[in-house]
RNA sequence: GGGCGAUUAGCUCAGUCGGUUAGAGCGCGGCGCUCACAUCGCCGAGGCCACUGGUUCGAGUCCAGUAUCGCCCACCA
């Protein structure tokens, strides 16, 4: 390719689609089991098929892709298992809404089978979209192994696990208080009920005694549930109520008499010290009920309206209406003693945010204690590590207080519970295969449990079910345990913890060794990006405007050690007049910078970079090599330790500031000179740029493929077919690296000083100036002399004198740089007032510096206790600074200041 | 009620083992369309590192406490 074909501005769209196709056609994401190579594997946190991906997914999948590409280049057989999650409640909700909107029908109108067919249809569309999005983002998954949590194989795994746990006595069915969503009309696990603080009330209500005495006053936050009260509890030690224990009260608004019981649960200091007991609608009351043999009374339907047991006046009312009516009536009857403000926490359905109802019902549960024990141990042993480490505590704390897991859901979309009931003899059969005939009485009146399982009951098997478990497949053997899991901290309990338990229980081994928890993606106001808030940014929109590489790079650049990520992005439809800050510009600009550096090399070389002989590399040539080698080491180290932002910053600084700002500027005149040197520097620069593409490839896969390919053609050096399959660069350590970097930095400092002086006294770079440099020592003199042409080119110098013994010249602006004094001649252009002010400022700076070192060195304990090298360093700094100050002062004096 | 995180330049954030006068990007000011890039280059201004104490020769960094903001967990009605 010649420079003519390279556009001036990088166009990510064409490049990205091209390479996406290339990777797919060549199956570069595919990993083979049994290659004998060391393996590295990741299973994707399967996105819900409910909707398209958002930026949170973009971040997480970028991180995984970085790891996978990095390890692949390092020579690992790298498997990234992609797939999607059926997301029971969420998906069912979405399809139900769609059905209502488009056809005005409910799922009941359709019937179970027809409805499920509709959901599958929906899943085929969105699931496909998600996979397309992942591909567009550049994710190098093993697409041939894509899985869905309701695939046949995964469903078999779910059934197998249910049966095994049941047979082990770890699954049981029972009537308990669970979290119930009245809108979704299903049970939820404890984790699925999100608690939020609400400003509510504490109502004090008088319950008169059955014998007509005054009775007592109870305190409640939920007056409507009093219709289901079966007792009132007081603390046994509470003398205020001792006389009432065992007596009956008349439950207001009903005809029922209820006993007063004594129970330790009651805190005499809270409220009135008397608690109404509603076993069917409160978990604590349920426990009290068990202890006192009280029969629970359910007063609500599953949809949150009151049922017949609540009484004819209330039947059919919603929870909210019933509360109002109860309070009104109590108030009329003079039984509402007091209303206090009270803050308490209320559960909400994590899918539809409806207030959940503690509800007594028959459900299936997993006994967690025995599963949790080994899962605690592997984390304590360090076999599973969390990054950042602070999440370890969160995990352990939850694990150590784990409660049984309610796994049945009253939904249609999901894995059917593999339990069958005989309609004749009541036999309960848990089976891997469908049951049609009762195993006990041979009746054919056998029905399957209508409920489905919690979505997470399939997700927790993901690291092994996706590789074919319970079969002992080659893939399972090769890729389990997986290496790293990258996910959001919100799902530590839902998913991470449970996967560890399932892995240990069913595979006898941890599911992954490292868990990386990334930050939450938020908008510029700090709000979590979500569809319901409408502040989500569509990755495809960002990809369209900035490119996938730019999106990836920008997000990685601002992700630090699992801190939350704040995105500011104005969509095209935003219509804002002022050009706001855009998070993704940094990546786009960087891509453009790299593109243009390549374009420069192509234009200088004409697209052909030959080899050269007999050219001895000079300081700059060796310096850029040295910097490159350091960068390799540092980036490798950063990626190994999950410091992704550091890896992005390192390659950014190297390419932009070392390579483009210095080295490419340095080689331009050398290229112009032609000959062997031309070929040499072009090769040197191109090789380093090409190698840098490997370092950058995990973060910006598309651009790096394109640039690497262009350079490889020009260099006639294709070690591999693409960067993706190229080996990760190895640093070639140079013994004299420190000296090289030190000398180059002297040169940079000198050039910087000259530029600074010129700028301060208004001599633009377009106007060449004469400069005198007075080096401080032999070394400096040698370095400056050897590199005189660089100084002249980069600082726009017409004539450069190097003289260690030169006196301060008239009509010049002076400055101090590292190891030298600099004079810029300003014949006719000089603004001496400005120059005086500039020098005075320099003098002040220097004086402050000297004072701070002097105070340090005059501190006796510093000198005696600090390491010798530190003290020595301070002394050197002081003497240098004093020298510089002296020079500045004499310059200032010469100007009459 | 417990736990975690944050607090550094106008904005968004880095800052690893405690050791130059604390950095970047954006924004701002000045200069420059020099034959890669104005999505650019050069130069610059801008900081009580939230506060208080402690450890130390030395603290943005370690410890304790305080304040503000955010998040997570918890069955006191």
């Amino acid at each position: 390719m010649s420079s003519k074909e390279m556009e001036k501005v990088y166009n990510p769209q064409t490049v990205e689609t091209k390479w996406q196709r290339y990777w797919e056609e060549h199956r570069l994401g595919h990993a083979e089991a049994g290659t004998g190579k060391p393996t590295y594997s990741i299973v994707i946190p399967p996105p819900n098929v409910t909707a398209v991906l958002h930026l949170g997914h973009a971040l997480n999948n970028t991180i995984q892709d970085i790891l996978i590409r990095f390890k692949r280049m390092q020579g690992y057989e790298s498997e990234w298992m992609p797939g999607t999650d059926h997301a029971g409640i969420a998906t069912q909700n979405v399809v139900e809404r769609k059905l209502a909107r488009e056809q005005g029908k409910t799922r009941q109108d359709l019937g179970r089978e027809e409805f499920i067919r509709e959901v599958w249809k929906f899943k085929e569309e969105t699931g496909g979209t998600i996979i397309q999005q992942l591909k567009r983002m550049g994710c190098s998954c093993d697409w041939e192994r894509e899985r869905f949590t309701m695939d046949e194989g995964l469903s078999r795994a779910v059934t197998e696990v249910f049966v095994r746990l049941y047979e082990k006595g770890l699954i049981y069915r029972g009537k308990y208080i669970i979290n119930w969503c009245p809108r979704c009309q299903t049970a939820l696990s404890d984790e699925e009920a999100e608690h939020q603080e609400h400003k509510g009330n504490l109502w004090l209500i008088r319950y008169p005694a059955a014998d007509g005495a005054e009775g007592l006053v109870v305190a409640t936050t939920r007056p409507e549930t009093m219709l289901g009260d079966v007792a009132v509890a007081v603390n046994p030690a509470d003398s205020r109520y001792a006389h009432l224990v065992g007596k009956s009260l008349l439950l207001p608004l009903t005809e029922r008499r209820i006993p007063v019981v004594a129970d330790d649960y009651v805190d005499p200091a809270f409220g009135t010290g008397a608690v109404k007991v509603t076993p069917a609608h409160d978990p604590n009351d349920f426990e009290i009920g068990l202890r006192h043999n009280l029969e629970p009374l359910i007063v609500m339907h599953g949809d949150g309206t009151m049922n017949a047991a609540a009484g004819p006046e209330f039947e059919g009312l919603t929870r909210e209406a019933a509360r109002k009516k109860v309070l009104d009536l109590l108030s009329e009857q003079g039984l509402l003693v007091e209303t206090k403000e009270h803050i308490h926490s209320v559960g909400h359905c994590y899918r539809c945010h409806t207030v959940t109802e503690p509800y007594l019902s028959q459900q299936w549960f997993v006994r967690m204690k025995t599963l949790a024990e080994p899962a605690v141990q592997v984390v304590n042993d360090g076999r599973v590590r969390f990054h950042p480490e602070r999440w370890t505590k969160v995990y352990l704390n939850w694990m150590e207080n784990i409660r049984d897991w309610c796994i049945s859901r009253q939904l249609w979309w999901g894995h059917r519970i593999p339990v069958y009931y005989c309609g004749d003899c009541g036999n309960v059969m848990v089976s891997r295969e469908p049951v049609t005939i009762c195993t006990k009485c041979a009746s054919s009146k056998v029905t399957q449990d209508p409920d489905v399982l919690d979505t997470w009951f399939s997700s927790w098997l993901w690291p092994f079910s996706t590789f074919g478990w319970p079969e002992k497949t080659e893939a399972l053997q090769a890729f389990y345990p997986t290496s790293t899991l990258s996910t959001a901290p919100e799902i530590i309990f839902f998913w991470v913890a449970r996967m560890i338990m399932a892995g240990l229980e069913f595979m006898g081994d941890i599911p992954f060794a490292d868990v990386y928890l990334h930050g939450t993606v938020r908008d510029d106001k700090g709000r979590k990006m979500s569809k319901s808030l409408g502040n989500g940014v569509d990755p495809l929109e960002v990809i369209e405007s900035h490119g996938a590489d730019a999106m990836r790079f920008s997000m990685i650049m601002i992700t630090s050690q699992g801190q939350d990520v704040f995105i500011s992005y104005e969509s095209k439809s935003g219509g804002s007049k002022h050009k706001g800050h855009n998070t993704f510009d940094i990546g786009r600009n960087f891509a453009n910078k790299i593109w243009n550096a390549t374009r420069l090399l192509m234009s200088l070389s004409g697209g052909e970079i030959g080899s050269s002989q007999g050219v001895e590399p000079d300081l700059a040539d060796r310096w850029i090599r040295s910097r490159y080698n350091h960068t390799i080491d540092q980036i490798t180290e950063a990626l190994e330790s999950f410091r992704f932002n550091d890896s992005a910053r390192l390659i950014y600084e190297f390419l932009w500031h070392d390579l483009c700002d210095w080295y490419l500027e340095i080689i331009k005149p050398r290229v112009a000179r032609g000959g062997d040197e031309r070929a040499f520097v072009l090769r040197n620069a191109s090789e380093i740029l090409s190698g840098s593409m490997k370092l950058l490839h995990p973060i910006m896969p598309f651009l790096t493929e394109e640039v690497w390919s262009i350079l490889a053609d020009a260099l006639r050096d294709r070690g591999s077919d693409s960067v993706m399959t190229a080996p990760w660069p190895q640093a070639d350590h140079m013994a004299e690296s420190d000296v090289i970097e030190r000398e180059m930095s002297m040169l940079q400092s000198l050039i910087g000083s000259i530029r600074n002086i010129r700028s301060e006294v208004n001599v633009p770079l377009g106007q060449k100036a004469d400069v005198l440099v007075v080096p401080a020592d032999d070394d400096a003199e040698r370095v400056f002399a050897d590199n005189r042409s660089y100084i002249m080119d980069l600082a726009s110098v017409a004539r450069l004198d190097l003289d260690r013994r030169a006196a301060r010249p008239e009509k010049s602006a002076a400055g101090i740089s590292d190891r030298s004094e600099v004079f810029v001649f300003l014949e006719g252009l000089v603004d001496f007032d400005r120059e005086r002010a500039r020098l005075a400022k320099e003098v002040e700076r220097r004086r402050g510096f000297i004072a701070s070192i002097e105070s340090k060195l005059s501190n006796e304990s510093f000198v005696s206790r600090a390491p010798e090298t530190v003290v020595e360093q301070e002394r050197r700094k002081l003497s240098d600074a004093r020298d510089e100050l002296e020079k500045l002062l004499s310059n200032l004096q010469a100007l009459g200041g």
Side-chain angles (χ1 to χ4, degrees):
Chain A
M1 176 178 294
S2 87
S3 60
K4 275 178 223 127
E5 291 169 52
M6 288 186 75
E7 289 173 47
K8 191 171 165 180
V9 173
Y10 176 59
N11 178 357
Q13 307 308 333
T14 53
V15 170
E16 292 182 355
T17 46
K18 174 174 112 192
W19 286 100
Q20 183 191 326
R21 203 174 315 124
Y22 178 89
W23 297 331
E24 217 176 323
E25 278 168 8
H26 291 77
R27 303 172 62 221
L28 296 189
H30 181 62
E32 220 37 86
T35 55
K37 283 203 282 179
T39 57
Y40 181 86
S41 57
I42 294 180
V43 287
I44 201 172
N48 293 347
V49 290
T50 41
V52 295
L53 304 185
H54 57 251
L55 282 180
H57 294 108
L59 173 61
N60 191 23
N61 289 301
T62 298
I63 288 167
Q64 292 169 73
D65 196 43
I66 289 171
L67 290 169
I68 280 287
R69 286 179 185 274
F70 171 53
K71 290 292 173 182
R72 190 183 287 124
M73 292 172 79
Q74 278 191 327
Y76 290 84
E77 189 70 17
S78 293
E79 166 67 21
W80 186 10
M81 156 76 59
T84 47
D85 193 298
H86 69 282
I89 307 180
T91 309
Q92 174 160 328
N93 282 349
V94 169
V95 175
E96 278 188 291
R97 269 200 297 271
K98 192 170 171 246
L99 216 55
R101 196 175 54 237
E102 290 171 5
Q103 305 179 31
K105 285 185 184 161
T106 66
R107 71 172 203 259
Q108 285 79 7
D109 292 340
L110 263 65
R112 187 162 187 153
E113 282 188 17
E114 179 61 26
F115 177 74
I116 287 174
R117 263 197 295 278
E118 283 294 316
V119 185
W120 272 105
K121 243 161 57 189
F122 174 82
K123 180 262 157 187
E124 295 305 331
E125 289 164 26
T126 52
T129 307
I130 287 166
I131 297 301
Q132 283 316 307
Q133 274 182 308
L134 288 173
K135 288 180 177 172
R136 187 64 191 83
M137 284 189 245
C139 296
S140 59
C141 299
D142 188 351
W143 302 112
E144 291 156 51
R145 296 191 201 269
E146 184 195 333
R147 292 289 183 274
F148 176 56
T149 49
M150 291 218 324
D151 279 353
E152 219 182 297
L154 275 69
S155 299
R156 199 173 336 121
V158 164
T159 304
E160 178 68 27
V161 161
F162 187 98
V163 174
R164 282 198 198 178
L165 288 177
Y166 181 82
E167 285 169 352
K168 250 185 129 171
L170 292 178
I171 280 185
Y172 62 93
R173 188 162 78 135
K175 253 191 154 178
Y176 295 95
I177 294 269
I178 43 80
N179 300 286
W180 180 267
C181 174
R183 205 214 62 84
C184 302
Q185 299 219 42
T186 178
L188 301 171
S189 66
D190 291 335
E191 291 68 40
E192 288 170 322
E194 296 178 336
H195 288 267
Q196 281 163 23
E197 301 238 300
H198 267 217
K199 249 190 243 167
N201 291 309
L202 190 63
W203 286 280
L204 306 193
I205 301 166
R206 173 163 302 281
Y207 283 16
D211 60 10
E214 69 174 357
L216 49 63
V217 175
V218 301
T220 181
T221 55
R222 301 212 47 204
E224 68 278 15
T225 64
M226 69 176 287
L227 302 167
D229 283 3
V230 296
V232 167
V234 297
N235 190 287
D238 195 334
S239 57
R240 291 173 296 175
Y241 300 120
H243 66 286
L244 287 170
V245 174
K247 301 266 168 58
S248 286
L249 302 169
L250 187 62
L251 183 64
L253 312 181
T254 72
E255 306 293 313
R256 289 190 291 121
R257 288 164 172 241
I258 55 173
V260 176
V261 298
D263 196 287
D264 281 331
Y265 163 76
V266 180
D267 173 5
F270 186 88
T272 60
V275 183
K276 59 191 272 313
V277 180
T278 324
H281 297 280
D282 183 281
N284 298 310
D285 293 6
F286 180 74
E287 295 296 321
I288 297 176
L290 287 181
R291 286 195 287 271
H292 298 273
N293 277 319
L294 300 163
E295 192 61 36
L297 179 63
I298 299 176
V299 291
M300 246 179 248
H301 290 121
D303 65 357
T305 62
M306 309 309 287
N307 67 16
E313 282 182 281
F314 300 100
E315 185 176 3
L317 294 181
T318 64
R319 295 179 287 182
E320 296 74 18
R323 172 178 299 184
K324 189 169 180 309
K325 188 154 188 183
V326 163
L327 290 170
D328 285 348
L329 291 172
L330 288 172
S331 184
E332 272 170 35
Q333 298 175 20
L335 295 173
L336 184 58
V337 179
E338 199 183 340
T339 303
K340 296 182 185 178
E341 279 196 0
H342 183 67
I343 294 168
H344 60 134
S345 90
V346 179
H348 295 74
C349 171
Y350 86 137
R351 283 306 173 209
C352 73
H353 304 108
T354 301
V355 172
T356 56
E357 190 64 37
Y359 197 58
L360 182 64
S361 68
Q362 173 120 302
Q363 305 288 347
W364 288 93
F365 298 87
V366 180
R367 235 181 273 286
M368 300 305 281
K369 267 265 173 325
T370 54
L371 293 175
E373 275 164 26
V376 166
Q377 197 166 351
V378 293
V379 170
N380 278 330
D381 291 350
R383 289 176 63 202
V384 175
R385 292 173 301 269
F386 288 88
H387 312 269
E389 208 223 323
R390 62 172 187 271
W391 295 109
T392 309
K393 238 172 104 177
V394 175
Y395 168 88
L396 288 173
N397 186 47
W398 183 79
M399 271 301 199
E400 280 156 8
N401 298 295
I402 200 160
R403 288 182 288 169
D404 286 355
W405 177 14
C406 173
I407 52 170
S408 44
R409 297 289 177 276
Q410 289 64 52
L411 304 170
W412 287 354
W413 176 240
H415 301 275
R416 278 293 276 277
I417 292 182
V419 176
Y420 304 83
Y421 307 102
C422 175
D424 280 332
C425 72
N427 187 22
V428 176
M429 292 157 280
V430 176
S431 166
R432 289 175 176 84
E433 302 300 331
V435 176
T436 49
I437 306 284
C438 178
T439 51
K440 210 162 157 192
C441 70
S443 160
S444 59
K445 283 175 70 182
V446 170
T447 50
Q448 187 173 4
D449 194 302
D451 289 352
V452 302
L453 289 160
D454 182 3
T455 293
W456 301 99
F457 196 86
S458 58
S459 316
W460 74 328
L461 314 177
W462 188 250
F464 50 89
S465 64
T466 48
F467 290 119
W469 188 91
E471 308 297 322
K472 288 199 175 98
T473 63
E474 269 198 314
L476 188 61
Q477 195 138 16
F479 301 120
Y480 191 95
T482 69
S483 311
T484 305
L485 175 78
S486 170
T487 194
E490 297 108 84
I491 58 175
I492 290 178
F493 308 142
F494 279 116
W495 195 46
V496 181
R498 287 170 182 161
M499 278 192 287
I500 296 175
M501 291 187 274
L504 291 167
E505 173 70 17
F506 302 108
M507 290 294 296
D509 202 352
I510 54 170
F512 30 70
D514 292 290
V515 182
Y516 179 79
L517 282 321
H518 65 252
T520 306
V521 177
R522 300 176 184 282
D523 68 10
D524 53 359
K525 290 179 191 69
R527 296 171 308 182
K528 191 165 146 183
M529 284 207 175
S530 77
K531 229 171 29 124
S532 51
L533 267 174
N535 62 345
V537 175
D538 180 359
L540 287 181
E541 192 182 327
V542 178
I543 289 171
E544 215 176 283
S545 65
H546 286 70
D549 282 332
M551 178 178 76
R552 295 168 59 120
F553 185 85
S554 306
M555 294 196 82
I556 290 306
M557 192 81 162
I558 59 176
T559 309
S560 169
Q561 304 285 298
Q563 289 301 339
D564 287 356
V565 173
F566 294 83
I567 300 290
S568 72
Y569 178 76
E570 281 181 29
S571 67
K572 280 184 296 185
S573 48
S576 170
K577 278 200 193 87
H578 61 276
K579 220 170 108 188
H581 176 248
N582 192 320
T583 301
F584 301 105
D585 286 350
I586 188 167
R588 183 197 56 181
N589 295 355
F590 185 42
N592 192 241
K593 186 72 180 177
I594 293 167
W595 178 255
N596 273 287
T598 312
R599 197 161 78 97
L600 170 67
L601 290 175
M602 289 303 102
S603 113
L604 291 177
S605 66
E608 251 176 75
I609 300 167
S611 52
S612 60
Q613 289 112 34
V615 178
E616 192 62 28
D618 74 1
L619 176 64
D621 300 326
R622 293 190 297 161
W623 168 77
I624 197 68
R625 283 272 166 197
S626 170
R627 290 293 314 134
Y628 174 58
N629 284 320
H630 271 139
T631 306
I632 292 173
D633 281 343
Q634 288 176 302
I635 290 181
T636 307
E637 213 272 317
L639 290 177
E640 301 276 12
S641 46
F642 304 105
R643 297 193 334 264
F644 303 105
N645 63 323
D646 280 348
S647 73
R649 186 180 46 79
L650 285 161
I651 192 67
Y652 181 91
E653 280 170 2
F654 173 70
L655 281 175
W656 200 307
H657 296 122
D658 290 338
L659 189 70
C660 292
D661 287 352
W662 287 98
Y663 193 65
L664 293 186
E665 291 307 320
I666 276 171
I667 68 166
K668 279 177 191 174
R670 295 167 71 186
V671 169
R673 260 173 257 145
D676 274 344
E677 192 177 7
R678 170 180 180 275
F680 174 80
V681 293
L682 282 173
R683 177 158 283 270
N684 200 40
S686 302
E687 281 175 358
I688 285 170
L689 182 57
S690 162
S692 304
M693 291 305 97
K694 296 181 188 172
L695 295 176
L696 178 59
H697 181 256
I699 308 180
M700 298 181 109
F702 298 106
L703 168 77
T704 51
E705 285 283 21
E706 184 72 9
V707 165
W708 183 84
S709 171
I710 291 169
L711 290 170
D713 285 345
L715 289 163
R716 302 201 189 296
D717 177 22
R718 281 188 169 272
S720 55
D721 293 331
S722 84
V723 210
M724 184 167 165
T725 53
W728 187 251
Q730 293 293 315
D732 179 12
H733 296 283
M734 306 155 79
E736 65 283 29
S737 181
D738 285 352
V739 179
I740 294 167
E741 299 216 7
R742 172 83 195 98
E743 292 186 353
M744 185 67 187
S745 119
M746 279 162 55
L747 209 55
Q748 289 173 316
S749 166
L750 174 60
I751 291 164
S753 291
I754 300 172
R755 285 170 172 174
N756 178 340
I757 294 166
R758 301 173 56 114
S759 173
E760 295 272 338
V761 297
N762 263 334
V763 183
L765 282 173
Q767 202 161 357
K768 291 197 181 235
D770 291 349
V771 170
L772 166 67
V773 172
V774 183
D777 51 38
D778 290 344
D779 260 0
E781 184 165 23
R782 177 181 50 77
V783 171
F784 298 148
D786 287 352
N787 298 283
R788 134 191 306 276
S789 67
Y790 294 153
I791 300 168
M792 296 180 71
D793 289 333
L794 297 181
S796 187
V797 173
R799 181 181 156 187
L800 177 68
D801 288 323
L802 281 171
D803 184 350
R804 284 190 66 186
R805 270 166 274 300
R808 186 197 184 285
E810 296 294 313
K811 296 189 172 174
S812 67
I816 306 284
S817 91
D818 187 7
R819 313 311 310 152
S820 69
E821 202 176 353
V822 188
F823 301 94
V824 177
F825 294 93
L826 299 165
E827 207 68 51
L829 300 160
V830 70
D831 182 339
F832 283 103
D833 285 341
R834 267 182 103 132
E835 170 64 1
R836 256 192 299 277
R838 194 181 65 82
L839 284 176
K841 197 179 71 186
E842 281 292 308
V843 165
E844 272 326 294
R845 230 219 297 251
R846 216 65 52 153
R847 279 188 172 138
F849 185 44
I850 287 167
S852 82
I853 302 174
E854 277 173 343
S855 85
K856 216 183 263 186
L857 283 169
S858 64
N859 181 343
E860 168 54 29
S861 29
F862 172 72
V863 179
S864 59
R865 297 206 198 184
E868 189 53 37
T869 52
V870 174
V871 177
E872 194 40 52
Q873 198 182 322
E874 291 298 312
R875 290 214 173 94
R876 207 175 325 119
K877 267 156 46 184
L878 181 61
S879 89
D880 287 352
R882 279 177 174 155
D883 281 357
E884 290 170 6
L885 177 64
E886 212 174 296
K887 286 170 186 161
L888 284 167
L889 284 173
S890 81
N891 289 328
L892 193 53
Q893 230 164 24
L895 287 172

